Amino acid sequence: MARPTEVRVIGKTYTVQWQRPHTGDADGLCEAHAQTITVNPEVHQEIQQDALLHEILHALDYHLGLRAGERRVHGFATGLLQVLKDNPHVARFILAKQKEPPNDVA
Protein backbone atom coordinates (compact mmCIF):
# COMPACT_ATOMS: atom_id res chain seq x y z
CA MET A 1 0.00 0.00 0.00
CA ALA A 2 1.26 3.47 -0.88
CA ARG A 3 2.22 5.81 1.92
CA PRO A 4 -0.07 8.84 2.21
CA THR A 5 1.40 12.19 1.21
CA GLU A 6 -1.33 14.28 2.81
CA VAL A 7 -4.03 13.97 5.42
CA ARG A 8 -7.03 16.18 6.23
CA VAL A 9 -7.32 17.15 9.89
CA ILE A 10 -10.28 19.29 11.00
CA GLY A 11 -10.59 20.82 7.54
CA LYS A 12 -6.86 21.49 7.15
CA THR A 13 -4.60 19.66 4.73
CA TYR A 14 -1.38 18.41 6.27
CA THR A 15 1.57 17.35 4.13
CA VAL A 16 2.99 13.99 5.19
CA GLN A 17 6.74 13.75 4.69
CA TRP A 18 8.50 10.39 4.80
CA GLN A 19 11.95 11.24 6.15
CA ARG A 20 13.77 11.13 9.45
CA PRO A 21 12.36 13.80 11.79
CA HIS A 22 14.85 16.47 12.79
CA THR A 23 14.09 15.92 16.49
CA GLY A 24 16.54 13.35 17.79
CA ASP A 25 15.30 9.77 17.92
CA ALA A 26 11.57 10.44 17.39
CA ASP A 27 9.69 8.27 14.89
CA GLY A 28 7.42 11.16 13.92
CA LEU A 29 6.87 14.88 14.26
CA CYS A 30 3.82 17.14 13.91
CA GLU A 31 4.41 20.80 13.09
CA ALA A 32 0.84 22.07 13.31
CA HIS A 33 1.68 25.69 12.47
CA ALA A 34 3.24 24.46 9.19
CA GLN A 35 0.58 21.76 8.69
CA THR A 36 3.30 19.15 8.25
CA ILE A 37 3.67 15.64 9.65
CA THR A 38 6.99 13.85 9.30
CA VAL A 39 7.35 10.08 9.74
CA ASN A 40 10.59 8.09 9.75
CA PRO A 41 10.47 5.67 6.78
CA GLU A 42 13.44 3.69 8.13
CA VAL A 43 11.49 2.02 10.96
CA HIS A 44 9.22 -1.03 10.70
CA GLN A 45 5.85 -0.45 8.98
CA GLU A 46 3.91 -0.97 12.24
CA ILE A 47 5.97 1.77 13.87
CA GLN A 48 5.34 4.03 10.86
CA GLN A 49 1.59 3.43 11.17
CA ASP A 50 1.63 4.13 14.89
CA ALA A 51 3.75 7.25 14.38
CA LEU A 52 1.44 8.61 11.67
CA LEU A 53 -1.66 8.13 13.83
CA HIS A 54 0.23 9.58 16.81
CA GLU A 55 1.12 12.74 14.86
CA ILE A 56 -2.44 13.07 13.51
CA LEU A 57 -3.65 13.01 17.12
CA HIS A 58 -1.14 15.76 17.96
CA ALA A 59 -2.66 17.82 15.12
CA LEU A 60 -6.16 17.23 16.50
CA ASP A 61 -4.93 18.12 19.97
CA TYR A 62 -3.45 21.38 18.66
CA HIS A 63 -6.47 22.51 16.62
CA LEU A 64 -9.06 21.52 19.22
CA GLY A 65 -7.07 22.87 22.17
CA LEU A 66 -7.40 19.60 24.07
CA ARG A 67 -4.05 19.77 25.88
CA ALA A 68 -3.83 15.99 25.82
CA GLY A 69 -0.07 15.90 26.16
CA GLU A 70 2.45 13.34 24.97
CA ARG A 71 1.47 10.54 27.34
CA ARG A 72 -2.22 10.60 26.40
CA VAL A 73 -1.54 11.02 22.68
CA HIS A 74 0.84 8.06 22.80
CA GLY A 75 -1.69 5.90 24.64
CA PHE A 76 -4.60 6.81 22.37
CA ALA A 77 -2.60 6.31 19.16
CA THR A 78 -1.19 2.93 20.14
CA GLY A 79 -4.47 1.71 21.63
CA LEU A 80 -6.69 2.91 18.78
CA LEU A 81 -4.38 1.51 16.11
CA GLN A 82 -4.42 -1.89 17.77
CA VAL A 83 -8.22 -1.92 18.17
CA LEU A 84 -8.69 -1.07 14.48
CA LYS A 85 -6.13 -3.67 13.33
CA ASP A 86 -7.59 -6.39 15.56
CA ASN A 87 -11.15 -5.56 14.48
CA PRO A 88 -11.15 -4.74 10.76
CA HIS A 89 -14.94 -5.21 10.65
CA VAL A 90 -15.26 -2.35 13.14
CA ALA A 91 -12.86 -0.19 11.12
CA ARG A 92 -14.91 -0.85 7.94
CA PHE A 93 -18.15 0.06 9.77
CA ILE A 94 -16.68 3.29 11.14
CA LEU A 95 -15.27 4.27 7.74
CA ALA A 96 -18.29 3.28 5.63
CA LYS A 97 -20.04 6.02 3.74
CA GLN A 98 -23.58 6.64 4.94
CA LYS A 99 -26.24 5.08 2.75
CA GLU A 100 -28.93 7.39 1.45
CA PRO A 101 -32.18 6.96 3.40
CA PRO A 102 -35.20 5.71 1.43
CA ASN A 103 -37.39 8.48 0.00
CA ASP A 104 -40.42 7.29 1.95
CA VAL A 105 -38.78 7.82 5.39
CA ALA A 106 -40.50 10.61 7.24
Side-chain angles (χ1 to χ4, degrees), residues 12 14-15 24 27 32 42 50 53 55 73 75 94 98 104:
K12 294 160 181 53
Y14 274 68
T15 300
D27 295 319
E42 298 172 10
D50 190 279
L53 183 55
E55 301 311 330
V73 166
I94 290 170
Q98 182 176 344
D104 60 335

Side-chain angles (χ1 to χ4, degrees), residues 29-71:
L29 175 67
C30 176
E31 296 177 282
H33 60 282
Q35 291 178 215
T36 302
I37 290 174
T38 304
V39 178
N40 186 351
E42 298 172 10
V43 296
H44 192 279
Q45 182 177 345
E46 288 178 342
I47 296 172
Q48 292 174 31
Q49 292 166 331
D50 190 279
L52 178 58
L53 183 55
H54 179 108
E55 301 311 330
I56 289 169
L57 290 176
H58 272 304
L60 286 168
D61 184 37
Y62 175 83
H63 292 292
L64 297 175
L66 300 174
R67 298 182 186 174
E70 188 63 31
R71 185 171 179 222

Side-chain angles (χ1 to χ4, degrees), residues 2 6 11 19 32 41-43 45 58-59 66 69 71-72 75 82-84 87 90 95 97 100-102:
E6 63 181 34
Q19 61 191 35
E42 298 172 10
V43 296
Q45 182 177 345
H58 272 304
L66 300 174
R71 185 171 179 222
R72 286 189 179 116
Q82 199 59 53
V83 166
L84 294 174
N87 301 280
V90 173
L95 297 174
K97 296 192 184 291
E100 292 293 322

